């Protein structure tokens, strides 16, 4: 009878218990007890030695067979209560202490983490004491995170000075925050009063932030599903065509696109959609000789102009 991976996993878990209670069990008897063929049992036995409580050699199941009987040589070792190795305990303690210092952490969560860390230090013994000599410093937008988190909890509006890479400028705006989330970087989703639209702000691009007394009152909006990533182009967004050389093929991996056509030189002609085509000018500058925007024409000309201006500025600086 055909079995799937879940069936095999369940069988192998039961097999471990069965073999522990029957040292030297005969292959024929075990196969009969589990309703499988001897070949299927041998296949399971080939996998079990790669299982255990960790990938350290002594923590794997030491099970083998001579074709007639099955021997498990370290059942008592594997059955011992799980313990953190020295490097695992150190890494966990250092990380816990570092997270406890983040300014955006709620006080109740911080206290819970401190209590858990203290218990872990006691259990780790000398390893816990040694780990206290190590520390991690976060280069984070912690202060911005804390202000946004406070604004959300107190339902207050925020004032921002925000850097827009697409326009290469700082703008001032008031925002009614909706939520914080992380997709690679940490973002705030909110209702921007400058544009009267939903906008997403990357926290490390916030140059200045201030909590206002005005209440936050964003319109009722359905939260976007971010499981497919932050950038999810819509069918009605403008279409842009980018041609890249072999060194620019990474663009197709990082940018959602409609198509990627192979070019004779090993490059790609990538068709994608974006609500803000102007933001792709920076991509064109980054690609340099390995890529160019070919459509729409006005965007292509804008990218060429930006490249010429960049070269002129560079020449003037020499």
């Amino acid at each position: 009878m055909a079995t799937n991976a879940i069936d095999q996993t369940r069988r192998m878990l039961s097999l471990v218990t069965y073999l522990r209670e029957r040292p030297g069990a005969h292959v024929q008897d075990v196969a009969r007890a589990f309703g499988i063929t001897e070949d299927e049992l041998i296949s399971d036995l080939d996998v079990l030695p790669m299982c255990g409580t960790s990938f350290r050699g002594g923590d794997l199941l030491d099970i083998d067979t001579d074709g007639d009987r099955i021997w498990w040589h370290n059942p008592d070792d594997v059955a011992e209560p799980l313990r953190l190795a020295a490097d695992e305990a150190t890494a966990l303690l250092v990380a816990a202490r570092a997270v406890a210092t983040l300014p955006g952490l709620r006080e109740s969560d911080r206290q819970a983490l401190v209590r858990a860390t203290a218990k872990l230090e006691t259990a780790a013994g000398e390893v816990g004491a040694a780990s206290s000599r190590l520390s991690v410093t976060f280069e984070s937008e912690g202060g911005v995170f804390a202000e946004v988190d406070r604004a959300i909890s107190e339902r207050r509006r925020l004032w921002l000075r925000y850097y827009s890479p697409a326009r290469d400028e700082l703008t001032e705006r008031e925002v009614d925050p909706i939520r914080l989330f992380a997709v690679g970087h940490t973002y705030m989703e909110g209702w921007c009063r400058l544009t009267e639209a939903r906008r997403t702000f990357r926290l490390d691009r916030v140059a200045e932030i201030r909590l206002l007394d005005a209440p936050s009152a964003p319109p009722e909006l359905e939260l976007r599903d971010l499981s497919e990533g932050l950038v999810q182009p819509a069918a009605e967004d403008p279409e842009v065509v980018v041609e890249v050389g072999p060194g620019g093929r990474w663009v197709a991996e990082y940018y959602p696109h409609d198509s990627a056509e192979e070019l004779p030189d090993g490059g790609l002609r990538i068709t994608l959609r974006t609500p803000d085509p102007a933001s792709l000018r920076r991509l064109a500058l980054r690609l340099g000789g390995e890529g160019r925007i070919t459509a729409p024409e006005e965007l292509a000309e804008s990218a060429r102009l930006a490249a010429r201006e960049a070269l002129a500025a560079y020449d003037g600086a020499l």
Side-chain angles (χ1 to χ4, degrees), residues 239 242 252 256-261 268-272:
E239 185 179 273
V242 182
H257 55 277
D258 294 338
S259 65
E261 178 187 348
L268 294 171
R269 180 180 293 110
I270 303 168
T271 301
L272 53 86

Side-chain angles (χ1 to χ4, degrees), residues 228-251:
E228 298 298 324
L230 179 61
V231 180
Q232 300 176 34
E236 63 272 15
D237 288 341
E239 185 179 273
V240 179
V241 179
V242 182
E243 291 188 357
V244 300
R249 294 178 67 95
W250 58 267
V251 173

Side-chain angles (χ1 to χ4, degrees), residues 95-101 105 108-118:
R97 293 193 192 101
V99 171
T101 66
L105 197 64
S108 59
D109 294 336
R110 190 191 314 280
Q111 292 303 319
L113 183 57
V114 168
R115 290 193 297 272
T117 303

Side-chain angles (χ1 to χ4, degrees), residues 16-38:
V16 169
T17 303
Y18 186 92
L19 293 177
R20 177 176 173 78
E21 297 173 352
R22 296 169 178 80
H26 288 278
V27 171
Q28 183 179 12
D29 294 339
V30 177
R32 185 184 305 112
F34 281 84
I36 57 177
T37 67
E38 293 185 20

Side-chain angles (χ1 to χ4, degrees), residues 39 72 75-76 156 168-169 183-184 188-189 225 236 254 259 277:
D39 286 343
W72 185 356
D76 295 331
R156 291 167 65 181
D168 193 25
E169 65 180 8
V183 181
M188 171 184 67
E189 186 174 19
D225 179 9
E236 63 272 15
Y254 284 87
S259 65

